[in-house]
């Protein structure tokens, strides 16, 4: 392609990205705790949205017109696009994990502007799930740094990483989207750039190319969520198209990021294995040997929830035709005490084995870190 042709393509891509950003976030109302004004990050974010209506609240968790308001389910997407909540994080708890990471870091956010219909965060927040951003990012980073210092060097490899302790920084949100709000994610990238024994990690369904400007120097792992095209179009509402995510893998590897594949959730429906084979073939055809050599995967089958099912019926009932399969699912109490729906144990064991066999056949270059 000629130089002028390349420039035209890049300009077109930038235009599409700008349009997506405008559609993703158009903040018109900000709920905030009074203490937000005392933090530089809080003042910075408020300055980015000067036209937004400001509503002070005693707690970011207690906003009656959002959380616990069943009528808000009908405004599910509008709330995600137009509402932002700002708070000050109180607890700096760091929890052991052992799957996606060694530890779950104190979250710098919860909620998301994306609207993936299977997301577990709304189960905790109620009938609305816009982004809540915590403005005391300095305290969050300091807690991680203290914890990593106490751990010292990693002397034995584990499934999470052979050399560093891994901290998941995006358990309750999407850090690629959070970066559109303020500088919290950049601060965490800078933190893990200078910690010799620790690495940050997050899963994402949104391609934020602004992050390519920040070389993490081996300190960050991004896990692009992978679904076949058919369920992705139905379930990953407001997210980046699957082909765009796959193509972004190469760009992030070149920019110094470690990039893993997050097959989550694996949803079972008629024709699901054939759709996954096509997805595997697209990955094979798109990724370079360099990207393949550093890749690993995690595999997580769908967990659903009856309350979330009822919420989804208010705004996206077609998605529930794929997610809600009582003949395949059974109730199981999760670690946090919630009653959730998972695929029946014996059936799930067979499906996990089938999925891993398909990966071994079609993606032999991609080791699976864990699957359940």
């Amino acid at each position: 392609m000629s130089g002028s042709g390349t420039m035209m393509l890049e300009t077109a891509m930038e235009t599409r990205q700008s349009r997506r950003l405008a559609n993703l976030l158009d903040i018109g109302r900000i709920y905030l705790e009074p203490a937000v004004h005392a933090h530089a990050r809080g003042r910075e974010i408020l300055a980015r949205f000067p036209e937004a209506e400001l509503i002070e609240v005693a707690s970011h968790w207690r906003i009656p017109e959002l959380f616990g308001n069943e009528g808000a389910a009908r405004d599910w997407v509008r709330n995600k696009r137009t509402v932002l909540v700002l708070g000050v994080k109180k607890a700096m708890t760091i929890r052991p994990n052992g799957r996606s990471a060694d530890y779950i870091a104190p979250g710098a956010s919860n909620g998301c502007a994306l609207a993936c219909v299977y997301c577990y965060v709304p189960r905790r927040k109620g009938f609305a799930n816009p982004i809540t951003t915590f403005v005391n990012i300095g305290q969050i980073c300091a807690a991680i740094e203290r914890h990593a210092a106490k751990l010292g060097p990693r002397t034995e490899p584990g499934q999470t990483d052979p050399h560093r302790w891994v901290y998941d920084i995006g358990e309750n949100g999407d850090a690629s989207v959070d970066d559109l709000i303020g500088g919290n994610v950049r601060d965490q990238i800078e933190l893990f750039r200078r910690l010799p024994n620790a690495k940050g990690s997050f899963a994402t369904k949104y391609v934020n190319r602004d992050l390519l400007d920040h070389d993490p120097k081996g300190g960050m792992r991004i896990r692009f969520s992978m679904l076949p095209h058919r369920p992705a179009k139905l379930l990953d509402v407001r997210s980046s198209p699957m082909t765009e995510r796959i193509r972004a893998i190469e760009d992030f590897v070149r920019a110094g990021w470690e990039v893993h594949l997050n097959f989550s959730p694996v949803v079972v429906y008629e024709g699901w294995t054939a759709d996954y084979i096509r997805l595997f073939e697209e990955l094979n055809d798109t990724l370079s040997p360099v990207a393949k050599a550093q890749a690993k995967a995690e595999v997580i089958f769908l967990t659903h929830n009856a309350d979330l099912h009822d919420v989804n019926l208010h705004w996206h009932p077609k998605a529930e035709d794929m997610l809600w399969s009582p003949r395949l699912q059974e109730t199981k109490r999760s670690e946090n005490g919630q009653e959730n729906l998972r695929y029946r144990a014996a059936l799930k064991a067979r499906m996990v084995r089938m999925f891993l066999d398909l990966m071994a056949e079609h993606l032999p270059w991609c080791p699976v870190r864990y699957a359940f």
Side-chain angles (χ1 to χ4, degrees):
M1 182 180 294
S2 67
S4 59
T6 301
M7 290 180 62
M8 290 176 62
L9 178 60
E10 291 175 349
T11 300
M13 291 176 63
E14 290 174 359
T15 300
R16 287 195 295 269
Q17 175 81 343
S18 297
R19 288 173 180 167
R20 280 199 300 272
L21 292 180
N23 291 330
L24 192 64
L25 287 170
D26 182 18
I27 303 300
R29 178 178 297 178
I30 298 177
Y31 295 92
L32 68 159
E33 296 174 346
V36 164
H37 294 285
H39 292 265
R41 180 55 40 78
R43 296 191 297 272
E44 170 196 315
I45 293 173
L46 291 173
R48 291 191 66 181
F49 304 103
E51 303 300 321
E53 176 189 10
L54 305 184
I55 302 175
E56 288 199 353
V57 293
S59 167
H60 65 89
W61 280 116
R62 294 195 298 274
I63 306 175
E65 56 265 46
L66 284 181
F67 310 136
N69 174 12
E70 186 171 358
R74 286 183 287 272
D75 295 323
W76 194 258
V77 172
R78 184 181 63 81
N79 281 328
K80 285 174 169 290
R81 181 170 180 257
T82 63
V83 173
L84 175 64
V85 181
L86 299 179
V88 178
K89 192 170 188 67
K90 310 300 189 295
M92 296 294 163
T93 305
I94 296 178
R95 307 189 332 267
N97 179 251
R99 283 178 172 166
S100 65
D102 295 293
Y103 298 96
I104 304 297
S109 73
N110 66 57
C112 189
L114 308 183
C116 304
V117 293
Y118 47 77
C119 180
Y120 59 82
V121 178
R123 305 174 203 168
R124 304 174 183 177
K125 292 183 74 174
F127 289 96
N129 187 33
I131 297 174
T132 297
T133 295
F134 297 113
V135 299
N136 53 329
I137 186 63
Q139 293 173 294
I140 293 170
C141 288
I144 298 170
E145 187 164 12
R146 288 193 300 270
H147 189 271
K150 289 179 181 178
L151 288 175
R154 180 164 204 160
T155 57
E156 295 183 2
Q159 70 85 5
T160 57
D161 194 79
H163 306 298
R164 301 191 187 197
W165 303 107
V166 181
Y167 292 81
D168 195 318
I169 66 169
E171 182 190 33
N172 292 318
D174 190 314
S176 293
V177 179
D178 293 339
D179 181 66
L180 307 177
I181 298 292
N184 283 2
V185 177
R186 313 297 176 97
D187 288 347
Q188 290 169 305
I189 293 172
E190 291 299 321
L191 169 68
F192 288 107
R193 281 183 62 165
R194 58 184 176 78
L195 293 182
N197 66 329
K199 175 181 292 184
S201 176
F202 63 89
T204 184
K205 298 175 179 69
Y206 183 74
V207 177
N208 180 353
R209 293 187 173 276
D210 290 344
L211 293 176
L212 293 170
D213 297 333
H214 296 266
D215 181 356
K217 305 293 186 185
M220 289 296 297
R221 172 185 297 160
I222 188 169
R223 292 141 39 221
F224 278 107
S225 294
M226 297 281 114
L227 270 176
H229 290 271
R230 182 154 54 120
K233 289 177 180 178
L234 182 67
L235 305 177
D236 283 1
V237 181
R238 313 192 82 222
S239 65
S240 296
M242 194 56 53
T243 295
E244 184 177 356
R245 298 183 215 175
I246 293 173
R247 290 175 178 171
I249 293 171
E250 200 73 43
D251 297 330
F252 274 82
V253 170
R254 282 198 298 266
W257 291 67
E258 182 182 29
V259 183
H260 284 190
L261 307 181
N262 174 239
F263 293 104
S264 170
V266 177
V267 182
V268 176
Y269 54 91
E270 186 174 351
W272 69 285
T273 54
D275 283 352
Y276 269 101
I277 290 172
R278 283 189 284 271
L279 174 64
F280 296 159
E281 290 173 347
E282 185 174 356
L283 286 163
N284 263 325
D285 293 342
T286 304
L287 300 186
S288 69
V290 173
K292 292 177 180 178
Q294 58 84 60
K296 291 183 173 63
E298 53 196 351
V299 177
I300 306 170
F301 274 68
L302 172 72
T303 296
H304 202 21
N305 177 276
D307 291 336
L308 182 60
H309 168 70
D310 291 339
V311 170
N312 289 342
L313 289 177
H314 284 288
W315 74 276
H316 194 10
K318 287 185 178 180
E320 287 303 312
D321 292 340
M322 183 174 285
L323 296 178
W324 189 255
S325 303
R327 66 183 181 84
L328 304 179
Q329 295 164 328
E330 62 185 1
T331 300
K332 184 174 182 180
R333 187 173 295 276
S334 66
E335 293 178 358
N336 62 14
Q338 285 190 330
E339 292 281 346
N340 292 324
L341 289 171
R342 299 179 182 177
Y343 294 119
R344 298 180 186 277
L347 174 63
K348 180 178 176 180
R350 294 197 299 271
M351 294 188 302
V352 170
R353 185 70 262 161
M354 183 187 306
F355 190 93
L356 295 179
D357 287 345
L358 287 174
M359 282 197 65
E361 179 181 356
H362 296 279
L363 300 181
W365 45 266
C366 187
V368 176
R369 293 197 294 110
Y370 69 93
F372 70 94

